[in-house]
Amino acid sequence: MERLTIGTGFYNIVVKTVTKGDKLMENLLDNMKDRVLAGDLLLKEDAMQLAELPLEPLCEAADEIREVFCGKRFDLCTIINGKNGKCSEDCKYCAQSVFYSTEVESYPLLKTDQLLEQAKYNAERGVMRYSIVTSGKRLDDGEVEAACKSIRAIRENVDISVCVSFGSLDEMAFRKIKEAGACRVHNNLESSRNYFTEVCTTHSYEEKIETVKAAKRAGLSVCSGGIVGLGETMEDRIDLALTVRDLGVRSIPVNMLNPIPGTPYERNPRLTIEDMCRITAVFRFLVPDAFIRLAGGRGLMADKGKQCFQSGANAAITGDMLTTAGITIEQDMRMLKELGFEVKS
């Protein structure tokens, strides 16, 4: 330990204390940042070390990486519940599952005019991406045809990109969706392969992986990430980030669990802003050129994600979040302008 002091004897005043450990951590962070900026991909053991470093310099370094790889571009999207409730899957975080006692409205796939109206509303407010999300393991063939009709109508009438989250469809269905005009498929892996069975038992991790691959084979880009705060470890979070990186995913949602009454996770403690900033920063180091997207749960944070947007995040879902309230488009646009971001598709 190096100590700089003023005075002598018992009443010495310590002005500055610098430990060798502090210097080692600073050197470690600088080394990893330089490696990422040089184009190297960090390994799991690197990320595990990063996760233990002091938060403020970690976040500053992550934001520097974001600036170099992504600039000021910010990807803002909205979602609409295209089909709600009565889901056959037992995902423990979800209010729409038939396995749990929650107060959620159920309705079938929305009509084209309803989906079109909401697309226009979002586009008029500067949102560049609109995602139709449906409950259930997958849409059936008839629902896929109806969804394609709606996607075509949106693309013909509104200047907005269309994304879909229709469950575990196959490549043929995804090709129909792409031909209709959709550009991206959303399919969260939720957590690491190791932890997934603690989250859901009615479908497998491999099914999710195959869905991502099928969408990519169909020529669609993919948005895939997970939920943090389920009880997983930092290692699980890092494994998730590495898996989506290996799958070639460059839009990675990071949802913070909103513990919903009636679900098995209703008593889970909420993560803090500091937790979310650390997770965001580590993800940025691992996938430097991705859109790290704050999604569900952002409204639970007092700053609505502002500190995460200064810690490497550069994308978000705005507006209502499926079964929970979100943040208005106008609020987000003001915040992003203050932070110097440019909302672009």
Side-chain angles (χ1 to χ4, degrees):
M1 178 183 292
E2 301 171 8
R3 295 169 67 88
L4 176 64
T5 63
I6 297 175
T8 59
F10 184 78
Y11 294 101
N12 284 351
I13 302 173
V14 178
V15 175
K16 184 179 181 182
T17 300
V18 180
T19 68
K20 291 181 179 178
D22 291 335
K23 198 65 179 176
L24 285 172
M25 287 190 290
E26 181 181 335
N27 290 341
L28 176 64
L29 180 60
D30 287 343
N31 175 264
M32 290 200 194
K33 181 184 73 174
D34 290 344
R35 285 171 56 194
V36 172
L37 293 176
D40 289 346
L41 292 179
L42 297 187
L43 304 175
K44 179 176 177 176
E45 51 265 36
D46 299 321
M48 293 295 289
Q49 288 183 298
L50 274 176
E52 297 297 323
L53 295 182
L55 183 61
E56 185 174 346
L58 173 66
C59 292
E60 289 175 354
D63 206 43
E64 184 178 337
I65 291 169
R66 186 270 310 158
E67 179 76 38
V68 170
F69 281 89
C70 305
K72 294 293 185 181
R73 181 182 170 193
F74 195 98
D75 192 270
L76 193 66
C77 67
T78 57
I79 56 179
I80 183 171
N81 269 8
K83 176 185 176 183
N84 204 62
K86 294 184 179 179
C87 182
S88 61
E89 308 306 287
D90 68 352
C91 305
K92 293 180 181 177
Y93 55 82
C94 187
Q96 298 193 56
S97 172
V98 295
F99 286 80
Y100 314 124
S101 299
T102 58
E103 297 181 4
V104 172
E105 179 186 5
S106 296
Y107 52 80
L109 189 66
L110 294 179
K111 302 296 184 182
T112 294
D113 59 347
Q114 296 170 292
L115 295 170
L116 179 59
E117 179 183 4
Q118 193 64 26
K120 290 178 178 177
Y121 175 89
N122 290 317
E124 288 168 357
R125 283 154 182 78
V127 175
M128 309 299 292
R129 193 179 297 280
Y130 174 63
S131 184
I132 305 169
V133 182
T134 57
S135 65
K137 187 169 185 176
R138 65 175 66 87
L139 293 188
D140 62 32
D141 292 345
E143 289 171 324
V144 169
E145 293 298 332
C148 286
K149 176 185 174 183
S150 296
I151 293 166
R152 282 191 289 268
I154 292 168
R155 293 296 296 140
E156 288 168 2
N157 292 280
V158 188
D159 184 17
I160 197 167
S161 298
V162 178
C163 309
V164 302
S165 184
F166 292 163
S168 54
L169 299 178
D170 59 20
E171 182 179 343
M172 183 178 296
F174 283 134
R175 288 191 180 278
K176 291 179 181 179
I177 288 164
K178 184 177 188 298
E179 289 169 5
C183 63
R184 177 174 290 174
V185 167
H186 170 265
N187 188 271
N188 271 346
L189 300 184
E190 312 307 1
S191 192
S192 69
R193 183 186 300 274
N194 181 62
Y195 196 71
F196 183 76
T197 54
E198 298 295 324
V199 180
C200 179
T201 66
T202 50
H203 58 270
S204 70
Y205 209 69
E206 281 307 320
E207 285 181 86
K208 285 188 166 289
I209 295 286
E210 175 52 31
T211 300
V212 170
K213 291 180 177 179
K216 290 176 69 69
R217 289 195 302 269
L220 292 153
S221 69
V222 173
C223 179
S224 183
I227 304 178
V228 292
L230 305 176
E232 78 289 343
T233 64
M234 180 58 79
E235 182 176 6
D236 289 314
R237 297 162 186 164
I238 289 168
D239 284 342
L240 168 64
L242 291 172
T243 299
V244 294
R245 185 181 78 180
D246 290 346
L247 287 168
V249 173
R250 291 299 179 268
S251 174
I252 306 175
V254 182
N255 296 269
M256 185 176 83
L257 177 71
N258 184 350
I260 297 172
T263 66
Y265 290 147
E266 65 178 332
R267 299 189 184 279
N268 279 33
R270 289 182 184 177
L271 297 185
T272 65
I273 291 176
E274 290 75 17
D275 292 329
M276 292 299 293
C277 286
R278 185 175 299 279
I279 294 164
T280 299
V282 172
F283 274 45
R284 174 57 63 195
F285 267 85
L286 288 172
V287 200
D289 60 345
F291 284 99
I292 310 296
R293 187 180 308 276
L294 293 192
R298 180 163 66 97
L300 299 175
M301 291 186 270
D303 70 349
K304 309 307 180 190
K306 183 176 183 179
Q307 291 179 64
C308 289
F309 298 140
Q310 297 170 303
S311 303
N314 62 337
I317 298 176
T318 188
D320 288 346
M321 302 288 176
L322 298 184
T323 57
T324 59
I327 303 162
T328 69
I329 297 170
E330 290 77 12
Q331 285 177 301
D332 276 338
M333 288 296 190
R334 285 195 298 270
M335 175 169 58
L336 296 174
K337 184 177 181 180
E338 290 171 4
L339 292 173
F341 284 109
E342 300 173 4
V343 176
K344 297 181 178 180
S345 62

